[in-house]
Amino acid sequence: MGTHRVRRAVAAAALAVAVMLGAGGWAAADAQTAVTGPPPGSAAWTADTSLGLRLPDPATASAAEVAAFFAGLSPAQQDELIARHPLVAGNLDGAPVELRYRANALALAAARTEELSRAADPALTPEDHRAARTRAERYGTLLDGHRRILAFDPRGRGQIAEVYGDLAHAAHTAVIVPGSDIDLLTYDRASDPYGTPAGMARALYEATAATGTGTGTGTAVIAWAGYTTPVGLGPDAATERLAEAGAARLTALLDGLAASTRPQAPAALFCHSYGSVVCGLSRPGPAEASRLVVLGSPGMGVDSADELDPRVPVFATARNDSDWIGDVPHVRLLGLGHGADPTDPAFGARPLPATGSHGHTGYFAPGTASLAAYAALALGR
């Protein structure tokens, strides 16, 4: 590369950081610490010999091994395990989904009780009390009997995954992978609903019902806030550090779905904003994903679709004129930026329309051409 081209690339990288620090009026935030490793309580789980069996190590067991272990247990043995270790069982990829729902209900109830206790603890500060009440209220809303919580991890800013539809029997599965500013408290909010994984998942589930069988039972959609996302548009959003950690957790989720459910095809991934970097770095194969869809993407951590598995088709949603992500330079240099623009024909993704969408978070809004296309893809069309 010539000196002039190097200088241009460095300047573009610097511009990318400047834009990410200021785009949308959001300020840079402190660096986030990625939540990694096995779920809380794993040490007690592996030390448990009450069933006379060696329990699968959450840190090393494959999803297939976990699925085989639970298949060999009686219902009473399963209930005994989730009662003693709800946080582990509820987050164990490969465990039966209905068991995970029950385990996470227990874990949420215990976490809510703990936060209510903290909210009344005179040794804590008023700020601590407010934070505890906020989390207790969130846990309470997630305990609604109609909600299917596939994963719950209170560490850090908190992680959550929720299912819309019958995941255990659905013919098709879709996973929403969100971008920045999503965590346990923000993954489902009334303002900007289609900018959250829960809002996106609800919209997609309802759209598949309208265009599919009319009941929605043929497709299950997972709102996955299962990794530590960047906060704001600071350095975390300009680098791949959090996306790399997220990619490992996404791969574990997909392996778990393959081992514990029987859809007609692996999950379709819908990756929004920084989530498209997570999806790109996970490089799913045909056993993990049937197709990969990006929207509002700053890049996928690769320079072209050729760097991904050719057996998994990649679709890029056209960027609407009011999406600020278009102001972010598509560079990847010195650890900054996320590479080529997936909407550029040279990238090699298949184009999807976005007619009717507005802003960075409007691609799942009802009535848009993008949502109609997503529903068709989720249904395997």
Side-chain angles (χ1 to χ4, degrees), residues 131-360:
R133 286 193 297 270
T134 297
R135 290 177 79 90
E137 181 179 356
R138 164 54 74 177
Y139 298 156
T141 62
L142 293 171
L143 281 167
D144 183 301
H146 299 291
R147 303 187 78 159
R148 300 177 176 93
I149 306 303
L150 185 67
F152 163 64
D153 190 335
R155 293 178 295 176
R157 288 157 44 214
Q159 299 182 1
I160 193 80
E162 184 173 8
V163 176
Y164 295 82
D166 185 354
L167 181 59
H169 303 100
H172 304 284
T173 305
V175 178
I176 305 295
V177 182
S180 297
D181 298 298
I182 298 297
D183 54 35
L184 184 66
L185 297 179
T186 62
Y187 107 109
D188 185 7
R189 55 180 181 258
S191 61
D192 189 26
Y194 305 114
T196 69
M200 294 178 190
R202 277 193 297 267
L204 181 57
Y205 178 68
E206 291 169 0
T208 58
T211 61
T213 62
T215 64
T217 56
T219 303
V221 185
I222 301 172
W224 184 72
Y227 78 104
T228 303
T229 66
V231 172
L233 294 178
D236 278 346
T239 61
E240 295 176 354
R241 178 178 62 87
L242 296 180
E244 289 172 350
R249 296 179 77 83
L250 177 60
T251 297
L253 169 79
L254 299 176
D255 287 344
L257 294 178
S260 60
T261 64
R262 293 292 180 267
Q264 292 178 1
L269 303 184
F270 294 86
C271 316
H272 178 241
S273 197
Y274 189 83
S276 60
V277 189
V278 176
C279 290
L281 295 182
S282 72
R283 290 177 167 80
E288 295 84 31
S290 61
R291 58 209 65 201
L292 200 162
V293 182
V294 297
L295 49 141
S297 175
M300 299 183 67
V302 297
D303 292 323
S304 76
D306 290 340
E307 296 182 33
L308 303 173
D309 194 307
R311 296 167 296 177
V312 180
V314 180
F315 296 83
T317 309
R319 189 165 45 245
N320 67 62
D321 293 338
S322 55
D323 186 348
W324 57 259
I325 202 72
D327 296 327
V328 175
H330 289 277
V331 297
R332 196 172 185 232
L333 181 69
L334 304 177
L336 300 173
H338 304 303
D341 181 357
T343 67
D344 187 331
F347 183 83
R350 306 180 189 188
L352 294 177
T355 307
S357 67
H358 299 283
H360 187 55

Side-chain angles (χ1 to χ4, degrees), residues 11-99:
L15 178 59
V17 174
V19 170
M20 288 187 174
L21 290 176
W26 294 350
D30 294 335
Q32 299 295 300
T33 300
V35 171
T36 58
S42 291
W45 164 277
T46 54
D48 189 339
T49 59
S50 61
L51 294 183
L53 301 170
R54 183 176 181 180
L55 307 188
D57 187 344
T60 60
S62 69
E65 290 170 338
V66 170
F69 169 79
F70 278 101
L73 298 182
S74 68
Q77 289 175 315
Q78 293 185 4
D79 289 342
E80 188 177 342
L81 279 182
I82 66 174
R84 285 202 301 273
H85 309 284
L87 272 174
V88 176
N91 290 284
L92 206 52
D93 292 305
V97 294
E98 294 293 341
L99 178 146

